[in-house]
Each structure stands twice: as C-alpha cells, then as structure tokens.
Amino acid sequence: MAAYCAACALTVCAAAAPAADKDRKEAPTVHPQRWPKLHPALARDAQLESRVAQLLSRLTSAQKVGQLIQADIGSITPDDLRHYPLGSILNGGNSSPRDDKLAAPSEWLTLADRFYDAAMAASPIGLPLLWGTDAVHGHNNIPGATIFPHNIGLGAARDAQLIRRIGEITALEVRVTGLDWAFSPTVAVARDARWGRTYESFAENPGLVREYAAAMVEGLQGVPGTPQFLDAAHVLATAKHFLGDGGTEGGRDEGDNTAPESELRDVDAAGYEGAISAGAQTVMTSYSSWQGVKMHGNQALLTSILKERMGFDGLLLGDWNGHAQLPGCTAVRCAAAIDAGIDVLMAPDAWRELHENTLAEVRSGEIPAARLDDAVRRVLRVKLRAHLESEGRPSSRPYAGHEELLGAPAHRAVARQAVRESLVLLKNRDHLLPLSPRAHVLVAGDAADSIARQSGGWTIDWQGTEPNQDFPHAETVYAGIARCVQAAGGSATLSPGGEFTTRPDVAIVEYSPGDKHDLALLRRLRTEDIPVVAVFLSGRPLWVNAELNASDSFIAAWLPGSEGGGIADVLFRSADGEVRYDFRGRLPFSWPRSPRPPAAERRRGEAPLFPYGYGLSYGEDGNLPRLPESDPAAPGAGAAR
C-alpha cells in the first residue's frame, strides 16, 4: 500500500527537456469522419465576426504575436505591457499579488485594475487582456472563498444540477476579485488510480463525465443563447486537458496514452463533447501523448478533430510550458505548437524571449500568416464574447469588491450539500450508523481537525498545506461533529492519537493516505471494544482492506473541502432520533481488491472489491466479510498486514 500511495502522490506538471529533431515521431492517423460532428453552441454572429476582422486588421505582427502568449503574474508587471503587448496572464498554483498567497481579495482586484489600465494604454484596439486562474474547486486561491469537494467527490454525488450550481457560485466568487477566466473543469476520464490527478476526474464512466462537463461549463459561463451567457456574473470556462491525460499507461503523469482511436474518441473525448456542446470557450492542451506523439504538437487531434470536426471555435491554450516538450522546441521557441493548432502558449516566465522568437518565426514564414491570423482571430472572438470591450475596469464591474460573496452562507450551504451527497458508505456493521448525537464521541486521526487535509491540492497553494487559520469561514470535520453533538446534549473530544480518559461511546477516526498510525489506531480502539467509524479522506480509491477490517463502519469521504460539517450531517441522527440525511453517494471509480489499482486488476481479469456505482444506504445490510490483508499474488503472501 505504501508504494501504491507514493505512486498516487500529487504531481506537479514539470516541463521536460526538449527532444532532438531525430526523436520526432510521426503522428498516428486519425479518421475525422469517425468522430462526432458537433454543432456550435453559438450560431455564427456576422456582426461579431466583422468586428473581429476590423480589430485584426489594425494589429501589427508584433501585436498579433502578443495575443498568442500568456505570462504568469509572478514574472510580469503591468509596466511590462508597454513593451510586450501580451493578450493574457495567469496566476499559477503558487502565484499571487506581491507573491503573498494570503493576499487580501482587494489586492487581487487592485492588481487586476493595474493590468487592465496598462493593457488598455498599450493596446491599439482598446481590448484588455484576459486573466486566467485555477479555480478548480471553487475560487480556491483566495482565503475565505468557498471550497467545494474535488471532482472525484462530486462524481460520487450523481447530481448534475448541483454541479451547475457549483459552477455558478465559483464564477461569482472569481468575479469578486476582478478575474474573468477559470481553468476548469478537468474532464479527464481517469482509468488508473495511480495517476496523480485522479482526484480531478469526475469518474471512470465517460457518460457521467460528459454530463458533468456540460453542467459545469453552463454553471461557469451561463447557458449559450441566454442573456446570462458570459454576463457580469459568469466567467470563461476551460475544458482540460485535451486529449487523453486520464488514460496514460500506468497512470504516469505526462505519460503516453496508447489507446486505439476508437477508445480515445468514445472515452477520453466524452467530456469535450459535453463541454463544447455547452459552449466552452477555451480548451487547454494536455502534457500527455497519444501513441507516442505529444498532444501539444498533434495537429490531427488539435485541428482536424477539435477545431474542425468538433466545431470548437474558441481559443486553444497550451499548458504551463507544455510546448517546450515538443521535439526541437524549447520554452522560448516553438513554432510547431502554434502550427499544430495551439492559439495561446502558456509561457509563465519565458514570455519575453518567446515573443521575440515567435515574431521572427512569423516573419520567416515558419508560422504561416494564415495560422497566425486564425489564432489571433480566435483570441479576439473569445474576448468579444466575454464583453471585454465594454466591461470597463475590473473594479467597476457589478460584483467586483463584494467580498461578502466570498464564502457567503448561501454558497457554503451548497458546498455542504455537495459534501453530504458525495459520501459513500462502504461498510456499516450491524447498522452502527446513524449515530446518536447525545453520545460521547471520540474524534481521532491526524486529519480530523485540518482544513488542508480535507481539501487537498489546489487550495490556496497547489499542494494544499495551509494551517486552519488561513481558511476563514471553513469548518473542520471535528468542528462539525462537535457542533452537532453539543447542540443535542452529547460531547465530542478531539484526540488525534486516540487517547482518552473517559471511555467514549463511539470513535470516529478521520485519516488519509500517509497517516503513519492510522491502522494501529483503528485496531487498538477495536480491541478495546469501542465501536469505530472510519472516515477516509483521499483523492482516489485505494487498497485499504486492513482498515476496512478494523472498522465497524467505513466511509469514503474523498476531499470534501471547506465544509466539514457536511459529514456530521449524515453520520448523526437529529436530536429527536430521526435520520436527517441518508447516504446517497455512489462510487465514481471501482475500488481495488488488491494492492494493484483497479485498472491493473481488470487487465488480470479480477473483479474489483466494490464496483463502479456501489454505495450503501442506511436501510441496507452493511456487514462485510473479513477481507484478506495481503496480496494473494505476492511472494510470501499470507501474513496479515
């Protein structure tokens, strides 16, 4: 299990060294006629296209190239735009105003104004730049914002209307800080739980991913054809990462997806069908490869499939220096990515040199004029659809500066609902749950009182390691339990190590992968005849047979975010003994029977311990036979862990 957990650790997308031209591999053939032909969610607007053409005609080559490059706020200042008229910026996972990840929302808005003013002063066409942010489970870079469960938990909820509402709230909270572009949703269909970003995948089922992708895009952007589409309460959405990042061999980050074209189409592309049909205006390219060819250079999939066959007319964005991984490319020079169909290169810190080199490639013809104009046209089209021409300074927009909307009670109530709906009950021996709120409850485990542990990555910083005081409004799992039982006359004692002086009626153990003493703690409490409820916080299904054996009840709680009280809502009856909320979550991924992840088990012909869609409710038999605690296929198997 330790090796499996290590393989599942959160990974950062680090750019690899460029390959030599001799390593360039011919892209496998694709057959566009076999892919779904999608109809644009937005009908062609002749007036808008005329305006795009007018703006394009007024740009110099240098200014056009500027629209194709995105810099990180950690390496660019507003003053730089006087010399380099870039079309967009982003804040990466650890970037923030003044390099202070706890910067107040007002500082984000002030910086947005400064970039807006500088861009407008330098722009010959009166269009500001776009600012993109990784708002992947709420506006998660901002202390005090509502933090929703990560996608894997939302996949367990099976509630598309809830997903749409989460998108709406996220968009509104992003607008408070003056930003206009969210790098979400991730629509990967993860197939090997060892992939470090499994927690960002809604499910292994492409149909559910397709449905959720459409719902989240509509929540973030509004519904195409309505007055709400990209109005002041909505932001641009980004379907990512095109294409096949969830299906790499062995779950390797930035690895190779070797699936046949039919599987790439039917499984990996399902989320893009939903997102594009819902009007997604931006798509982000994957670091991964398909059959040995890096996606950032795969013209057949980026242009022939995404843009032509699937009808995507928005802008295609590269990932963080992803272009640098193409054969013959570096972070500062890569005509191949633009020629393949990428419209905006994400160049966080090498944007100056990239601008100069790309301009030279345009002038030499290495980047054809038609391809340059097509890319710029797409950027301008998205900016006009987002009303950047008329919105004014970020601070002048309707929701800007309304900090009372960040973590607003109504928003937190939706996040709490999402927590309740995402919980999956895997074991409930002799109907231990639901618990009486009048009981004396011991709350144990290292994760029981940690907002960071229950929220996971992409939470203030990309690793998600902040202390509780950095999360105003949020509630830990322990705090939610304590509030619930104390209101009914019971009591709750927090003891991470499980020690107690007064014998509890029940112990609730919150733990996550990597906790050193979790299994010993569960076993010790059981040997003392204390009923044990295990609440497992994780970003993926894992082999936890021993923990299942050592628990009376076992709940997969995923990464629930800021509203830990949602767990207590389901675990405890009301003060008068009624069931308030039953378990309704169902597994978005099958659960492994052995230390091998489900994908490897399926290849061996083994059935999972719990299949996709499994989940108990209170009225069902929750007893579970004792499970083997070692891998039968491993040498020397047989000893209990």
Side-chain angles (χ1 to χ4, degrees), residues 137-453:
H137 62 142
H139 195 15
N140 45 253
N141 292 291
I142 309 298
T146 308
I147 306 298
F148 295 95
H150 268 297
N151 284 358
I152 191 170
L154 299 181
R158 305 294 205 277
D159 188 341
Q161 292 295 350
L162 174 65
I163 303 309
R164 185 174 289 103
R165 182 66 183 130
I166 288 171
E168 292 170 351
I169 292 169
T170 299
L172 195 60
E173 295 199 12
V174 168
R175 283 294 203 172
V176 169
T177 56
L179 312 189
D180 36 40
W181 186 3
F183 293 153
S184 62
T186 297
V187 297
V189 181
R191 308 220 268 298
D192 190 316
R194 289 172 295 184
W195 185 42
R197 302 182 76 157
T198 296
Y199 69 106
E200 293 186 55
S201 176
F202 289 121
E204 67 182 38
N205 181 289
L208 182 63
V209 174
R210 181 188 296 108
E211 179 186 22
Y212 269 27
M216 185 62 82
V217 167
E218 287 183 351
L220 289 166
Q221 294 190 162
V223 178
T226 70
Q228 290 74 39
F229 183 71
L230 290 177
D231 67 3
H234 293 88
V235 297
L236 293 165
T238 307
K240 64 183 188 183
H241 305 83
F242 193 87
L243 177 66
D245 51 343
T248 57
E249 285 294 296
R252 294 180 181 86
D253 188 45
E254 306 180 22
D256 190 22
N257 185 322
T258 61
E261 183 183 0
S262 59
E263 183 177 331
L264 193 73
R265 176 197 65 206
D266 297 340
V267 178
D268 293 293
Y272 297 94
E273 291 182 42
I276 293 169
S277 296
Q281 291 298 291
T282 76
V283 170
M284 187 183 294
T285 315
S286 177
Y287 282 110
S288 60
S289 304
W290 179 54
Q291 297 190 12
V293 176
K294 281 287 184 182
M295 285 303 309
H296 275 70
N298 195 317
Q299 184 177 26
L301 289 171
L302 299 183
T303 298
S304 299
I305 298 299
L306 177 64
K307 292 183 173 181
E308 295 174 0
R309 185 67 179 176
M310 301 181 80
F312 175 65
D313 66 354
L315 72 85
L316 179 59
L317 174 69
D319 207 341
W320 185 282
N321 275 336
H323 56 278
Q325 297 185 4
L326 295 185
C329 286
T330 67
V332 300
R333 181 186 294 274
C334 193
I338 295 174
D339 289 345
I342 293 179
D343 304 309
V344 176
L345 299 178
M346 189 184 292
D349 48 16
W351 50 271
R352 288 180 180 85
E353 297 88 345
L354 182 63
H355 184 275
E356 293 169 359
N357 291 332
T358 304
L359 180 58
E361 290 164 338
V362 166
R363 289 169 173 165
S364 71
E366 189 173 356
I367 297 175
R371 170 79 271 263
L372 173 68
D373 284 354
D374 173 63
V376 178
R377 189 177 291 110
R378 288 170 173 272
V379 175
L380 297 179
R381 180 183 297 126
V382 169
K383 288 186 173 184
L384 291 180
R385 283 177 175 167
H387 310 294
L388 290 194
E389 195 172 31
S390 58
E391 275 200 325
R393 298 180 85 218
S395 62
S396 71
R397 299 168 189 171
Y399 298 100
H402 286 268
E403 296 182 19
E404 71 279 3
L405 294 173
L406 295 171
H411 296 177
R412 293 183 58 202
V414 174
R416 188 163 177 155
Q417 174 190 351
V419 174
R420 291 194 297 265
E421 295 188 15
S422 68
L423 303 176
V424 181
L425 181 61
L426 298 180
K427 180 181 180 182
N428 193 24
R429 188 168 71 90
D430 296 335
H431 297 284
L432 172 62
L433 298 175
L435 302 171
S436 168
R438 302 181 187 278
H440 172 45
V441 182
L442 175 70
V443 184
D446 292 338
D449 198 37
S450 169
I451 300 294
R453 293 284 286 276

Side-chain angles (χ1 to χ4, degrees), residues 155 158 202-209 586-591 602 608 610-615:
R158 305 294 205 277
F202 289 121
E204 67 182 38
N205 181 289
L208 182 63
V209 174
R586 298 295 179 261
L587 287 179
F589 291 90
S590 52
W591 201 277
R602 283 193 290 271
F610 303 114
Y612 170 85
Y614 182 85

